[in-house]
Amino acid sequence: MLNFDFYNPTQILFGKGQIAALAKLIPADTRVLLLYGGGSIKQNGVFDEVMGALAGHEVLEFSGIEPNPSYETLMRAIELVKRENIGYLLAVGGGSVIDGTKFVAAGALLDEDPWSIFDKRSANVLSALPFGVVLTLPATGSEMNSGGVVTRRATHEKRSFASRKLYPAFSILDPSTTYSLPTRQVGNGVVDAFAHVMEQYLTYPVGAKVQDRFAEGLLLTLIEEGPKALSDPEDYDVRANVMWCATLALNGLIGAGVPQDWATHMIGHELTALYNLDHAQTLAVILPNMLRLRKEAKREKLLQFAARVWDLHGGDEDTRIEAAITRMEQFFEQMGVKTRLGDYGLKADHIDQVIAALEAHRMVKLGERRDVTLDVSRKVLEMSL
Amino acid sequence: MLNFDFYNPTQILFGKGQIAALAKLIPADTRVLLLYGGGSIKQNGVFDEVMGALAGHEVLEFSGIEPNPSYETLMRAIELVKRENIGYLLAVGGGSVIDGTKFVAAGALLDEDPWSIFDKRSANVLSALPFGVVLTLPATGSEMNSGGVVTRRATHEKRSFASRKLYPAFSILDPSTTYSLPTRQVGNGVVDAFAHVMEQYLTYPVGAKVQDRFAEGLLLTLIEEGPKALSDPEDYDVRANVMWCATLALNGLIGAGVPQDWATHMIGHELTALYNLDHAQTLAVILPNMLRLRKEAKREKLLQFAARVWDLHGGDEDTRIEAAITRMEQFFEQMGVKTRLGDYGLKADHIDQVIAALEAHRMVKLGERRDVTLDVSRKVLEMSL
């Protein structure tokens, strides 16, 4: 097992009716800014439930945080926070709203352009406004971690940040708020959580038996529950399991003490920034061939994945590995997320642009062994056409 | 899944060499009290390593915290803290030292007798001295939770407490500090962690699939690694897995959103208070027959335990259940922990005294369904002779 430093102070309030706890969780003597996305929370009742719980508070609103939240939009939120003397932020939504809120929480206290967070690798985030979360879309895990991703529309850059100052103080996870999610978001969320686990699990063995078992437990649960979330959208326990899986997939626990990959995510970010694919779509396209191409370096864990997650024991090693990857692809398709670049209208002549973007962002040595060069990334993209 | 409120802010620094981090973790401008047990840390080098890391700090010592730490001893520590104006506590040891340190951290700031913490169910713990941990004995999980157990020698009472103010600020877990542990403590620690998982896992199903998978992952790892910790005491990865299992067995995670039992622990506490059995010895004696006697109420989870943990699939249900419980007993014995009351010199005529103690402490409706009456406890004890 590798040495690690695990810290996660976010309080999780999980279950039906937990939104009412907001009244006590947020201090009454400060102005609150409620941040959200496109307004679905006004249709499904969550907005009213939140405002009801905050009846004793002074609440302002900032709406319109888009999927893959933009620097341009978030700078307007930062201006509002400063102008209105906001003391507490409340993100109501999914990963984009939460990531955006983290950027606002840090950026509002900076004297320099908040974009500097990326160039300084968050070293200038010495403090942040306190913030909480009401999660309505299980997927990214942002509700219980300290990182985020922000896109600069003007330059097509999608950049990530993380700081120990940016854990939510609390996150409320009520699975029943996810009943009304569109099918596409449910499928994306399950694929996203699955890929998060794989980036931390599917590397090489370091004798970290608990982390492996926990990662496999999350994968098995996503495989069992994901399809049910599509077929029976109001099954509470199914939604609860998917929601808790997505949070635990990226809260630091399964990644503590093990090597981590993340090459798939880095290539995926470029596909989203350039062509606006959903985040999960990029992962469903890239991950399977990333594993195929790097089969030798990942052989031991691929065999473990085949045996423990897909119950594949017969045949020679290569057959088992290919069967496991194919089963994973089929699972992504079952969740409604297509797995070929062609499914999204992308062709061979787009690849140069993706490679150029990776090079521009210095993503030239990716993966747990830093051996995913631009050539490797190019091959994975070619295999995924 | 049941609703839950999960919160655990303890920072874990895990691995070789992490004790050096103490220099930065504890503020330099406050007096530190180092609390420890019988002095084994002076033989195995941990004391010197800790003092070396704290070279820039003013450090006082309090030694002699015994297994099942006593109120009488801890009151002397509280007096010292007050007299010497201590601002930070550092527990170096296992669960007893950590539990004791938590009691001191809370008790030193109370204006009333700290024993009041038990009668007031910790409601009077409004603040506590900050404290950290250097763990040298994986077993109780106290290094990453907010509870503890203290024994009053004068009255043979063993009582537990818990408060959100009593999470360690940090815990340092260096598996190599456990190489020199006596065999008995290694075996006890593995059995203790195993029983902690069972108290949270082996109840009735509520559809909490992730919690079940995580619990099973811990049990499987303890079964694989526990015996190796005895046979090959300086295998780093084995020690690392046992250590991380013990912490995760009782940090709130696997118990979030599920029913919990704890009847075995409550009876076990009386056996320790009355006859001074090691905590793990009491669990090894009580748990198997607690499961046998309550087989009907626990049937579904017992079958899941048999299938997923012991890979038992053939035969009728009752056969599988009995085989799983027997395998667990054999595992406890393999870890060097005997599983009959008679092994510890206890006979049928001791049982009345145990039942009287349970009654005196109002432990008359135990278990996840509150149906473990004194009659049930008596039967379990009789089965365990």
Side-chain angles (χ1 to χ4, degrees), chain A residues 272-335:
Chain A
T272 296
L274 289 169
Y275 311 114
N276 215 25
L277 270 68
D278 294 348
H279 176 55
Q281 293 171 341
T282 71
L283 306 174
V285 166
I286 299 297
L287 181 59
N289 292 312
M290 184 65 81
L291 298 180
R292 286 191 178 98
L293 188 65
R294 293 161 67 197
K295 183 171 68 173
E296 292 316 320
K298 290 175 178 289
R299 176 170 292 271
E300 285 182 78
K301 291 303 280 285
L302 281 167
L303 289 166
Q304 184 175 325
F305 174 62
R308 292 193 184 171
V309 176
W310 298 108
D311 205 18
L312 296 165
H313 303 277
D316 65 25
E317 287 187 3
D318 286 349
T319 306
R320 270 178 276 153
I321 289 172
E322 178 52 34
I325 296 171
T326 301
R327 293 281 291 275
M328 182 182 75
E329 270 177 333
Q330 290 167 344
F331 172 65
F332 294 163
E333 295 271 351
Q334 187 185 8
M335 292 308 303

Side-chain angles (χ1 to χ4, degrees), chain B residues 174-195:
Chain B
D174 179 345
S176 64
T177 65
T178 72
Y179 290 166
S180 58
L181 282 173
T183 300
R184 175 166 158 182
Q185 292 194 335
V186 174
N188 279 348
V190 169
V191 170
D192 194 14
F194 195 99

Side-chain angles (χ1 to χ4, degrees), chain B residues 37-358:
Chain B
S40 62
I41 61 167
K42 293 208 171 173
Q43 272 107 58
N44 64 13
V46 172
F47 180 84
D48 290 341
E49 203 175 342
V50 167
M51 293 304 278
L54 291 177
H57 293 68
E58 191 181 357
V59 183
L60 284 76
E61 293 178 44
F62 184 86
S63 69
I65 298 182
E66 61 276 67
N68 303 302
S70 75
Y71 170 75
E72 291 82 352
T73 298
L74 299 172
M75 285 305 292
R76 290 193 291 109
I78 289 173
E79 281 164 33
L80 179 66
V81 165
K82 289 179 174 175
R83 192 170 65 238
E84 298 290 346
N85 196 26
I86 299 290
Y88 209 103
L89 307 179
L90 179 64
V92 182
S96 295
V97 173
I98 305 167
D99 284 11
T101 298
K102 289 175 181 173
F103 188 78
V104 172
L109 301 189
L110 283 179
D111 291 328
E112 56 193 324
D113 181 348
W115 193 256
S116 60
I117 290 171
F118 301 109
D119 296 324
K120 295 185 177 177
R121 300 176 66 87
S122 307
N124 56 339
V125 181
L126 304 178
S127 60
L129 281 178
F131 67 99
V133 170
V134 175
L135 182 69
T136 61
L137 170 54
T140 72
S142 188
E143 64 277 8
M144 201 185 182
N145 66 40
S146 60
V149 185
V150 167
T151 298
R152 194 159 186 160
R153 298 269 176 257
T155 55
H156 292 285
E157 288 176 278
K158 185 169 178 178
R159 302 281 295 272
S160 59
F161 62 98
S163 161
R164 289 211 165 182
K165 303 293 179 192
L166 293 175
Y167 284 99
F170 64 83
S171 285
I172 293 176
L173 280 61
D174 179 345
S176 64
T177 65
T178 72
Y179 290 166
S180 58
L181 282 173
T183 300
R184 175 166 158 182
Q185 292 194 335
V186 174
N188 279 348
V190 169
V191 170
D192 194 14
F194 195 99
H196 286 161
V197 177
M198 293 294 281
E199 297 276 27
Q200 301 164 86
Y201 165 68
L202 214 302
T203 57
Y204 54 86
V206 294
K209 295 197 167 193
V210 179
Q211 291 90 326
D212 280 2
R213 292 282 184 190
F214 280 18
E216 289 151 1
L218 294 173
L219 297 175
L220 288 163
T221 305
L222 289 168
I223 292 166
E224 283 173 18
E225 304 292 275
K228 293 186 218 163
L230 294 181
S231 64
D232 191 1
E234 302 206 1
D235 183 317
Y236 179 83
D237 278 331
V238 167
R239 293 291 179 152
N241 280 311
V242 168
M243 200 167 206
W244 194 217
C245 272
T247 300
L248 293 169
L250 198 54
N251 79 338
L253 184 67
I254 63 167
V258 298
Q260 302 194 18
D261 186 336
W262 298 105
T264 293
H265 268 71
M266 295 304 112
I267 299 175
H269 285 178
E270 304 301 352
L271 291 172
T272 296
L274 289 169
Y275 312 115
N276 215 25
L277 271 68
D278 295 347
H279 176 56
Q281 293 171 341
T282 72
L283 305 174
V285 166
I286 300 298
L287 180 60
N289 292 312
M290 184 65 80
L291 298 179
R292 286 191 178 95
L293 189 65
R294 294 160 68 197
K295 183 171 68 175
E296 293 317 319
K298 292 175 178 288
R299 177 171 291 270
E300 284 182 79
K301 291 303 280 285
L302 282 167
L303 288 166
Q304 185 176 323
F305 174 61
R308 292 193 185 170
V309 176
W310 298 108
D311 204 19
L312 295 165
H313 304 276
D316 65 23
E317 286 187 2
D318 286 348
T319 305
R320 269 178 276 153
I321 288 171
E322 178 52 34
I325 295 172
T326 301
R327 293 280 292 273
M328 181 181 75
E329 271 176 331
Q330 290 167 344
F331 171 65
F332 294 163
E333 296 270 351
Q334 186 184 9
M335 293 309 302
V337 187
K338 298 285 180 190
T339 57
R340 312 298 307 179
L341 285 171
D343 295 324
Y344 305 101
L346 296 179
K347 303 198 174 72
D349 52 11
H350 290 94
I351 291 179
D352 280 347
Q353 199 176 16
V354 180
I355 296 299
L358 285 167

